[in-house]
Amino acid sequence: MTEARGSTGLNGAVYPPGTPCWVSLMVHGTATTQEFYGALFGWEFQPGPQQLGPYVRALLDGRQVAGIGQLPPDRHLPIAWTPYFASADADRTAETVRHCGGTVGVGPLDAGDAGRLVIASDPAGAVFGIWQAAEHLGADITGVPGTPAWDELLTADSSLVAKFYETVFGYEEEPVVSADLDYVTLRVGGRPVAGIHGVGSALPRDRGPHWLTYFEVGDPDEAANRVIELGGHVLEPAHDSPHGPVATLADPEGAKFAVVRTEHRTTGGEGRTAG
């Protein structure tokens, strides 16, 4: 992992195309999930667009940070946090996804007056969202505890999907030149916005390729202990990384996420994250 996306797109500005602008979780029990994340991150909730069923937006100090929706009872889909990437034209981006070997599972469709969305998967099967903003631009705040800090794709081999994301979203790529690390940083306008980590056979067979969202916290050890108290699980205990301590966790329904305490801060609400 590398630098966080910081304050790009905040303060009423539209996120540049390709920038992660929102993260959403679809679960079976929205009430218990809200209790879990409310206790862990200090989130409060307000109703959001209902086009895909009951949906709430998580707020931190009155500013929107994430969404939680309810899966239909007859849908047995993986419970996972899904990052949404900004697009100026969701329909055109969806067509590019199909053209490049990806799959469009939902949409394009309007989410009320908020914007237009697509849920898709890359050629390796990792699910992600596409967001064309209208009234809802995306997250209002980053760089403080309880906010998304980074999105990272865990896949078998970065070279198999990096070209896909570059073509769909126009990213500039920055591979890590190392015999021991398969990692590509995705950049928009020279700014790092997300990463692709090829983990080979270490990819969990029960999950397959997937995007992992990192949330900023004050103390990953404390957050891991709190997750256990709240009925979640610790998948990887807190450990040091080049940019700060990080832990990988799961909520009571099994949604995987990471927490990080960034070591370096800059002005303007930006953070740097680890990986």
Side-chain angles (χ1 to χ4, degrees), residues 86-124:
S87 169
D89 187 334
D91 294 73
R92 179 175 294 181
T93 303
E95 282 302 314
T96 306
V97 166
R98 295 188 185 97
H99 180 73
C100 294
T103 302
V104 174
V106 176
L109 61 82
D110 289 326
D113 297 326
R116 193 159 174 81
L117 69 85
V118 175
I119 299 175
S121 57
D122 67 28

Side-chain angles (χ1 to χ4, degrees), residues 1-4 150 152 154 176 181 183 195 197 212 214 236 239-247 258-263 272-275:
M1 198 163 135
T2 182
E3 296 178 70
W150 184 253
E152 186 170 280
L154 301 180
V176 173
L181 180 63
Y183 199 94
H197 190 185
L212 177 66
Y214 289 69
E236 188 174 0
H239 60 279
D240 289 332
S241 76
H243 300 282
V246 61
V259 293
V260 61
R261 188 187 76 232
T262 57
E263 294 292 326
R272 295 177 185 269
T273 50

Side-chain angles (χ1 to χ4, degrees), residues 94-221:
E95 282 302 314
T96 306
V97 166
R98 295 188 185 97
H99 180 73
C100 294
T103 302
V104 174
V106 176
L109 61 82
D110 289 326
D113 297 326
R116 193 159 174 81
L117 69 85
V118 175
I119 299 175
S121 57
D122 67 28
V127 176
F128 63 94
I130 299 163
W131 183 252
Q132 179 183 336
E135 289 185 356
H136 175 64
L137 302 182
D140 294 329
I141 180 174
T142 64
V144 299
T147 63
W150 184 253
D151 291 293
E152 186 170 280
L153 174 62
L154 301 180
T155 192
D157 185 337
S158 69
S159 66
L160 299 178
V161 293
K163 187 66 176 178
F164 167 84
Y165 287 99
E166 177 187 350
T167 304
V168 171
F169 293 111
Y171 293 128
E172 308 135 17
E173 295 181 15
E174 182 186 332
V176 173
V177 181
S178 169
D180 302 321
L181 180 63
D182 175 10
Y183 199 94
V184 174
T185 300
L186 303 175
R187 293 175 175 265
V188 172
R191 185 187 186 89
V193 297
I196 300 176
H197 190 185
V199 297
S201 59
L203 190 68
R205 292 186 178 182
D206 61 334
R207 293 182 184 271
H210 60 280
W211 282 92
L212 177 66
T213 296
Y214 289 69
F215 293 92
E216 176 84 19
V217 294
D219 185 335
D221 273 307

Side-chain angles (χ1 to χ4, degrees), residues 25-41 68 79-81 207 223-224 226-235 249-257:
L25 175 65
M26 301 295 286
V27 297
H28 294 293
T30 55
T32 55
T33 299
Q34 289 177 54
E35 291 176 5
F36 173 85
Y37 287 103
L40 181 62
F41 292 139
I68 296 175
I79 308 297
W81 281 101
R207 293 182 184 271
R226 186 67 172 137
V227 162
I228 294 173
E229 294 173 0
L230 295 169
H233 308 279
V234 175
L235 304 180
L249 312 168
D251 68 21
E253 287 204 26
K256 178 181 176 183
F257 62 99

